[in-house]
Structures are given as structure tokens and as C-alpha cells.
Amino acid sequence: MRIVPLGRRPYAEVEAAMRAHTAARGPGSEDELWLVEHDPVFTQGVAGRDAHVLTAGDIPVVRTDRGGQVTHHGPGQVVAYPLLDLRRLGIYVKEYVFRIEESVIETLASYGVTGHRVRGAPGIYVRLADPFGHARLAPEAADPADPFHGLGKIAALGIKVSRHCSYHGVALNVAMDLEPFTRIDPCGYAGLQTVDLRTLGVAADVDTTAARLVAALQRRLG
């Protein structure tokens, strides 16, 4: 898997390049992992509802063909786009999502932070009261009325698979301006709190976190 560092780029430019790259792929095309920081932007998934954008203000809203609802990208966030041939890897979409989430959990663990999954809500979450505690979430303990009670979302996941080839990917919050997340229902969930490593008291930078995430993704995705 070839690593392609893109630096800071506008979202629409990179999204168009991903689609073009995927459309041009053949059976022998090399898998790639693109790393980028985006200028501030809200992105809507293919089924995204406008009502989940509460007040965009001066931040553009871009519709995409990925799954999921609305999220925010901005400086201080590691965005990783695995452009992979899943058939060649011998995995299906559910397994692919699991491996990406495991990579984020491993990256967080390298800082002492415990990441969690919430059933039916892709991405990774942390316990706000005890982000460094090792106890796992008990699915049966979740409040049906508020499955995110006591949790903050630290990584968002949205993918697209075309002709067995993946694009879009995962965004991990490191040290960013979190205010724009208050302008949306993050991932379609009203009131869901969004956090980053800095909020949790972790002194981390984007480059180091990106390197750790890349290493974890390489171990699981080749």
C-alpha cells in the first residue's frame, strides 16, 4: 500500500481526485493510502439530510457519494483515505470497516486513550468521564433513548465501495477547532458531543498521530 501525503488541501479537490482514481483503476492497480488535512468544510453523505446542518455560516457544505450523514473536516484532524481493492484483499465491507475502526482504537491506545464502538453508529467514541479507563462498554447498558450518554465522538467513518474498490475513509480528531461541530448534528445525531485528543488532555500533533494511524492501517490492510 503506497502512502500518499497530500498536506493541507480543499476537500472538493481531493474528493474529485479519489473518484477519478477509483474509476481509472484496473486489476493490477496499486493500493494507496492518502493522508490529508482539509480546509474547513461540512460534508454530507449520499443520504444526508439538510436538516442536520443547523447553521453552516461561512463554512461550505459539500455533498458526497460516501455513506453516512454530515460531518466536519478541518485543520488539526488526520484524514486517511484508503484506496484499496477489497476483492484482492479478500475482505467484505463489514470486515473492512472493522479493521479501520481497530486501527483507530490502536492509535488512541498509543496515547493511553480507550476507544469504543457504539452498535449501529460507525466511528470511534470515548468515555468523557474516564477516557483512559480500560473498561469496555457493555452493549446491554446502553440507554435506548440516548446511546451516546457520557460519550464523545473522536473519529468519524464514511466509505464508498465501487467495483470492489474503496474510497473515502476515516477522520481522527487531534487538535482542532471543535466549534463547527456545534453547527451540525454530527453524523446525524442531535446533541452528540465531538472531542479531540487535546480535549482529553493529550498533547499530540497531527504528523505523529498520522504516522501512528498509518502504521496501524498498514498492519490490518497491507
Side-chain angles (χ1 to χ4, degrees):
M1 183 165 60
R2 186 166 74 96
I3 309 304
V4 182
L6 298 176
R8 180 168 166 176
R9 299 281 187 90
Y11 178 84
E13 169 192 317
V14 176
E15 198 266 347
M18 280 193 296
R19 285 189 283 107
H21 174 91
T22 302
R25 289 191 66 148
S29 297
E30 184 179 11
D31 288 341
E32 297 185 355
L33 176 61
W34 293 7
L35 295 170
V36 65
E37 280 184 271
H38 287 305
D39 298 333
V41 66
F42 296 118
T43 69
Q44 279 277 30
V46 66
R49 296 172 51 197
D50 292 340
H52 290 309
V53 181
L54 308 178
T55 174
D58 58 349
I59 298 178
V61 181
V62 178
R63 282 208 164 266
T64 79
D65 61 352
R66 64 163 172 80
Q69 294 279 335
V70 65
T71 193
H72 169 65
H73 297 305
Q77 181 187 64
V78 176
V79 183
Y81 295 129
L83 309 182
L84 311 177
D85 186 331
L86 300 184
R87 179 164 54 187
R88 190 163 61 204
L89 283 175
I91 61 176
Y92 293 98
V93 172
K94 186 175 181 179
E95 174 68 16
Y96 174 57
V97 169
F98 177 84
R99 293 189 189 191
I100 292 177
E101 291 180 336
E102 281 294 293
S103 299
V104 174
I105 290 171
E106 179 183 328
T107 302
L108 294 173
S110 74
Y111 291 109
V113 175
T114 301
H116 302 275
R117 293 181 175 87
V118 173
R119 183 177 297 174
I124 298 299
Y125 304 80
V126 296
R127 279 195 177 98
L128 296 174
D130 187 17
F132 306 102
H134 296 296
R136 285 288 166 188
L137 293 183
E140 64 275 11
D143 180 356
D146 182 10
F148 306 105
H149 179 72
L151 300 178
K153 189 163 192 175
I154 196 166
L157 178 69
I159 65 168
K160 173 71 175 180
V161 177
S162 174
R163 298 181 298 113
H164 308 284
C165 293
S166 68
Y167 59 110
H168 295 287
V170 63
L172 174 57
N173 305 333
V174 180
M176 60 188 305
D177 178 7
L178 296 173
E179 185 277 332
F181 285 103
T182 67
R183 307 188 199 181
I184 60 174
D185 296 331
C187 304
Y189 298 104
L192 173 60
Q193 186 170 341
T194 304
V195 297
D196 59 9
L197 285 169
R198 181 169 58 190
T199 303
L200 304 179
V202 175
D205 62 81
V206 168
D207 290 343
T208 300
T209 306
R212 295 183 186 192
L213 179 59
V214 166
L217 288 167
Q218 285 179 310
R219 280 190 284 274
R220 288 169 175 80
L221 298 171

